[in-house]
Amino acid sequence: MTGIRLTAPAPGWSIDADVVVVGSGVAGLTAALRCAAAGLATVVVTKARLDDGSTRWAQGGIAAALGEGDTPRQHLDDTLVAGAGLCDEDAVRTLVTEGPDAVRRLIATGARFDTTDGGDIALTREGGHHRSRIAHAGGDATGAEISRALVDAVRAAALHTVENALVLDLLTDAEGRTAGVTLHVMGEGQHDGVGAVRAPAVVLATGGMGQVFSATTNPAVSTGDGVALALRAGAEVSDLEFVQFHPTVLFLGADSEGQQPLVSEAVRGEGAHLVDASGTRFMLGQHELAELAPRDIVAKAITRRMELHGTEHMYLDARHFGAGMWERRFPTILAACRAHGIDPVTEPIPVAPAAHYASGGVRTDLRGRTTVPGLYACGEVACTGVHGANRLASNSLLEGLVFAERIAADIVADRPRAGAPVTEPGSAPTPLIAPESRTAIQRTMTRGAGVLRSAASLTTAAAELEALHEGAASAVETAEPKVAVPGVEAWEATNLLLVSRVLVAAALRREETRGCHWREDLPERDDENWRRHVVVRIAPGRRPVLTTTRTEAFGPVDPAREPDRAAAPQTHPADVTEEP
């Protein structure tokens, strides 16, 4: 354990449970429903309302081998190719073999997917898939329908939920086992102020960290809280340098910041073309799948074309769909475009890459267990080994579904018990970052660790982030009047800074280009030296410690307890301790 925690008031109230699930997307609610169905006292904590997470923003769909002629093996092959040599094959095999039945159970829960005239699930293609295997709902509102079904099921089961609550830190007992979480309810939930949920099992399902960048498809709540909590608790994170930039995000201007409208990959799956201002299809000849190449390849091609022409965006041309298809298949995207003065029925859509998905996260095993006993992670906050260096389109909802079920099964089988929460000797709160630093962090990350990176840009970003970190510590030590006070905005900014520092450190360490990690100064993929994972933990002195594994194998989080994988990750002989 690190002994590091956020500066916050002591909990003024508490709830006792068997398991607390933090997050209310597909991963969190699936885990909660399975645990509750097995008779465990389950509490769901979510940062906004139950249906306000990233899941409801998912447009394209959920990938699974459900169609005639498709097989889990083919899905596995496409996933491994997209992952650029860093997927853990055991994890991918688990995903694709258990995925179809997990989707059927989701349907049994109440999710209604689009169907063909014959009543079968309608399937489409997205980038990197060689078959139509993307199930969708409401045309382009798949996440919203999945969220609706799961939220309805949670309410029908009368699960204990705490909404509008920001999770702060992990509680542990005298043996270092998980004993619950502290959280702050933002005045509109069932409690107010800082409290605690005491439970021997904690499931992190907090979603992504897209808000570390200026422009992202992620909602405002995606500030990396789960990854930051896990790091402070001593858990390992892996592959944080692999941030996927979605190629086709509606371009609203060079100065646009915050959540940007997504133009789903399914639009290209249905036949839309990427073109430049002259109407030239520039993906032809770039990849055998053209516009349906894996996302990192498309994002790089768009960026190169923008640089070549000195422009800030490219275009997605789907005028040939006609009004009827746009209204039937992509009503959400059509409405978003028209709301910003663009009519895709009559004109090409201006698009540019924006931060979209974290392929890395809190390192877990095949049961969702982290390196901290009793702490689990699933969904975008986790790194299961499934995505490697670049997530295959529409595998994210499936990963959340499959591994949430596995986590619930492990908790039910293990029935963990923990002692009373204790404060570690020498434990001290980490200095808080001023809320106004959030914009500075985002702009630093966008300049230095965005789609294009280099040693120079990353070194500059690391120095700027370190200055913010040291400035906060200095303000506390000298009792300056500008010391940030505890509160949601300061806690979020502090989480963003920690996650950003670790991401930049990992990106500096990986001296190659692979998947969605694009180093301008090192443009080639280097399998001999870098077909391995970068693993980071935080030392008690708040220093990020980086190691690399010997191979692409992901390894167990606890070799004594996990027979699924043969060997634990081993550090590379060149490993050193670094502080960004």
Side-chain angles (χ1 to χ4, degrees):
M1 303 299 290
T2 66
I4 304 170
R5 53 187 172 83
L6 288 171
T7 300
W13 51 269
S14 65
I15 302 169
D16 290 326
D18 295 319
V19 55
V20 54
V21 177
V22 186
S24 59
V26 62
L29 295 189
T30 297
L33 286 166
R34 297 292 183 273
C35 287
L40 296 178
T42 304
V43 174
V44 176
V45 174
T46 187
K47 194 172 179 181
R49 306 297 293 180
L50 276 180
D51 61 354
D52 276 347
S54 293
T55 290
R56 76 180 182 96
W57 295 99
Q59 295 174 344
I62 185 167
L66 297 165
E68 184 177 353
D70 197 6
T71 64
R73 177 70 213 191
Q74 294 174 69
H75 190 182
L76 180 143
D77 289 343
D78 285 346
T79 301
L80 295 181
V81 169
L86 274 189
C87 296
D88 181 89
E89 193 164 337
D90 288 340
V92 178
R93 186 171 292 106
T94 297
L95 178 82
V96 300
T97 55
E98 297 182 11
D101 283 343
V103 172
R104 295 183 184 103
R105 285 188 289 273
L106 180 62
I107 293 170
T109 301
R112 298 186 292 265
F113 288 93
D114 296 337
T115 57
T116 65
D117 292 340
D120 296 324
I121 296 175
L123 301 172
T124 191
R125 279 182 69 194
E126 290 185 358
H129 293 273
H130 283 79
R131 282 190 174 272
S132 295
R133 64 168 66 98
I134 314 301
H136 48 84
D140 59 356
T142 310
E145 170 57 18
I146 290 173
S147 180
R148 179 207 61 78
L150 291 172
V151 169
D152 285 354
V154 164
R155 288 174 175 156
L159 264 67
H160 189 159
T161 62
V162 183
E163 297 178 292
N164 301 299
L166 172 65
V167 68
L168 300 177
D169 281 306
L170 191 73
L171 295 170
T172 55
D173 65 14
E175 303 300 319
R177 279 195 55 87
T178 293
V181 293
T182 55
L183 64 155
H184 172 76
V185 179
M186 294 176 260
E188 298 179 11
Q190 297 169 336
H191 306 272
D192 195 12
V194 174
V197 180
R198 297 172 52 164
V202 171
V203 181
L204 292 179
T206 52
M209 55 185 190
Q211 291 290 328
V212 301
F213 295 96
S214 296
T216 176
T217 63
N218 290 188
V221 294
S222 298
T223 51
D225 307 316
V227 171
L229 175 150
L231 282 165
R232 286 193 297 271
E236 293 179 350
V237 303
S238 184
D239 300 351
L240 218 61
E241 66 272 30
F242 295 117
V243 177
Q244 188 177 82
F245 285 74
H246 198 288
T248 54
V249 175
L250 183 62
F251 181 75
L252 301 179
D255 296 328
S256 295
E257 296 182 337
Q259 186 178 9
Q260 310 290 299
L262 175 67
V263 182
S264 170
E265 198 156 308
V267 178
R268 282 175 280 139
E270 295 289 356
H273 303 145
L274 281 165
V275 298
D276 59 23
S278 68
T280 301
R281 285 183 65 186
F282 56 87
M283 284 306 300
L284 294 175
Q286 296 272 350
H287 189 275
E288 62 170 336
L289 296 176
E291 280 90 357
L292 289 178
R295 289 178 177 176
D296 63 310
I297 293 173
V298 180
K300 290 172 186 176
I302 290 174
T303 303
R304 288 191 185 103
R305 199 75 174 186
M306 287 161 50
E307 290 183 329
L308 178 65
H309 289 270
T311 59
E312 296 173 326
H313 62 82
M314 289 286 112
Y315 294 93
L316 187 65
D317 192 351
R319 289 174 290 180
H320 55 286
F321 284 6
M325 181 172 174
W326 267 109
E327 291 165 1
R328 181 184 69 258
R329 182 68 178 84
F330 301 111
T332 307
I333 298 170
L334 178 63
C337 288
R338 285 177 170 170
H340 291 283
I342 299 154
D343 189 350
V345 177
T346 60
E347 59 187 316
I349 306 167
V351 294
H356 181 59
Y357 189 87
S359 292
V362 185
R363 193 169 80 85
T364 74
D365 64 14
L366 297 183
R367 294 183 178 89
R369 298 179 299 203
T370 74
T371 50
V372 175
L375 178 65
Y376 296 79
C378 57
E380 191 173 354
V381 70
C383 186
T384 63
V386 159
H387 303 309
N390 182 51
R391 174 177 66 91
L392 181 65
S394 288
N395 267 356
S396 52
L397 291 174
L398 190 71
E399 183 198 33
L401 197 61
V402 167
F403 284 88
E405 291 188 340
R406 291 188 135 244
I407 285 172
D410 192 73
I411 294 173
V412 170
D414 195 33
R415 299 276 172 163
R417 293 289 179 265
V422 298
T423 300
E424 290 183 66
S427 177
T430 190
L432 295 179
I433 305 302
E436 55 268 26
S437 297
R438 178 170 178 154
T439 299
I441 294 167
Q442 292 169 330
R443 292 177 178 173
T444 290
M445 292 297 290
T446 298
R447 286 192 305 268
V451 179
L452 294 175
R453 304 167 176 177
S454 67
S457 75
L458 290 165
T459 299
T460 298
E464 291 174 0
L465 297 172
E466 189 64 18
L468 288 172
H469 174 71
E470 292 298 331
S474 175
V476 171
E477 291 173 2
T478 58
E480 291 183 14
K482 293 184 179 180
V483 172
V485 297
V488 172
E489 292 182 345
W491 290 322
E492 285 186 334
T494 302
N495 286 339
L496 285 171
L497 181 60
L498 174 57
V499 171
S500 296
R501 292 174 67 222
V502 172
L503 190 160
V504 167
L508 266 170
R509 169 63 73 89
R510 182 169 293 281
E511 297 178 335
E512 63 160 356
T513 288
R514 180 186 298 272
C516 49
H517 172 66
W518 188 4
R519 288 279 298 260
E520 292 180 282
D521 53 333
L522 297 163
E524 302 301 321
R525 173 169 153 175
D526 182 359
D527 280 348
E528 181 178 354
N529 294 304
W530 286 106
R531 194 176 178 189
R532 48 179 59 112
H533 303 275
V534 176
V535 179
V536 188
R537 62 181 176 83
I538 298 296
R542 299 189 177 93
R543 293 177 296 105
V545 178
L546 288 81
T547 57
T548 56
T549 59
R550 287 190 182 277
T551 71
E552 76 279 6
F554 213 55
V557 298
D558 183 350
R561 294 187 66 222
E562 187 190 359
D564 305 72
R565 289 166 169 145
Q570 296 175 302
T571 56
H572 188 264
D575 283 341
V576 296
T577 297
E578 293 185 359
E579 181 179 1

